[in-house]
Amino acid sequence: MSANDFPPVTARPLDLDRVRADLRARRLGFALHYFALIDSTNSEARRRAEAGAGDGEIVIADSQAQGRGRLGRVWESPPFANLYLSLVLRPNLAPAQAPQITLMAAVALAETVGSFLGRPAAIKWPNDIFVDGKKLAGILTEAACNSTRIEYVILGIGLNLNYGTESMPDTLRHRATSMAQLCGQFVSREKVLGRLIQALDRCYGELESFGFEGLRERWEERFIWRGRRVRVELGDQLVVGRALGIEAGGALIVEDDDGRRHSIVAGDVIPLET
Ligand code: BTN
């Protein structure tokens, strides 16, 4: 075993009583539903939302058999090492504002991680947290809306904590990192979970009270490509220009060399310089 591998000191389940005892949150986490193994916490949270689960209920698992990421990708979910959680949210927002939940969660996640590392974590649009050029966490948001309002949003978060490089599959080893790798020591999942729920609680309240404008600056100052030249492939259209920031609707703003602004809702964004 190398110094880069961080197996849990004891491979033990999350101690949610400890998390509950220290939790200071207004809306989130009053119900924490724990599973040793689940298909996907997002799937379970969706099933619960359909059955009437309230705003702020959280599903959390020690491992997932079918953890998933964006674009149908697999989210590696080995037992006891990391955090896998999904929140049921019933925000007072219009359907067009649903992407703001992802932006809000990215700010909360980056602030939490940054507070443990003692240095900033970067947000990679639309939903990743990066440190030292490697992915540390991902967000998967799934919304159910009717024509006028959001019925619920499932906010799924995967955060690598005590995931050693040697335990990662070859496809991840050079692209992903974990808190333990960054800190050089084992990290308490309970402490990070508690602080993350509190940060989400605070940012969620800010989003509802003040709209995305209240969070925009904190999102943009962590934006990994801010001011950098990027190339965006939008089907058969290509935009090359400078990434400026984010719109309240969640679109990335890119200004091309002719000074035209483009709102990028989806697409592959590739940085052109370091
Ligand atoms: C991504 O980076 O593509 C998003 C990854 C989201 C992973 C989390 S783990 C908890 C929740 N349950 C899932 O199946 N996915 C999300």
Side-chain angles (χ1 to χ4, degrees), residues 40-42 64 67-70 75 127-128 135 138-139 157-158:
S40 148
T41 55
N42 264 40
Q64 300 182 113
R68 55 178 197 273
R70 271 177 72 243
W75 186 261
N127 68 328
D128 295 336
K135 181 160 169 169
I139 300 165
I157 295 175

Side-chain angles (χ1 to χ4, degrees), residues 165-222:
T165 32
E166 291 184 11
S167 313
M168 291 181 180
D170 292 345
T171 46
L172 275 194
R173 196 161 296 147
H174 301 291
R175 295 190 293 118
T177 188
S178 69
M179 294 282 279
Q181 285 179 40
L182 294 164
C183 296
Q185 61 185 17
F186 177 81
V187 174
S188 156
R189 289 190 300 154
E190 287 81 4
K191 269 194 196 152
V192 178
L193 176 61
R195 221 185 273 183
L196 175 60
I197 294 172
Q198 283 175 194
L200 287 164
D201 188 71
R202 182 170 32 80
C203 292
Y204 185 40
E206 287 170 7
L207 179 65
E208 278 206 336
S209 305
F210 311 114
F212 180 65
E213 284 313 311
L215 294 167
R216 181 203 294 273
E217 203 179 309
R218 280 142 70 196
W219 193 99
E220 288 186 338
E221 72 194 15
R222 293 175 173 78

Side-chain angles (χ1 to χ4, degrees), residues 42 68-73 75 99-107 109-110 122-130 135-142 155-159 219 223-225 246 250 252 265 267-269:
N42 264 40
R68 55 178 197 273
R70 271 177 72 243
L71 310 172
R73 295 184 184 126
W75 186 261
Q100 295 177 1
I101 296 287
T102 308
L103 304 179
M104 173 282 287
V107 171
L109 198 42
I123 300 173
K124 182 169 161 228
W125 181 83
N127 68 328
D128 295 336
I129 302 300
F130 267 60
K135 181 160 169 169
L136 176 65
I139 300 165
L140 178 65
T141 314
E142 299 171 317
L155 169 59
I157 295 175
L159 170 56
W219 193 99
F223 178 34
I224 200 165
W225 302 314
I246 194 86
L252 182 68
V265 176
D268 273 333
V269 184

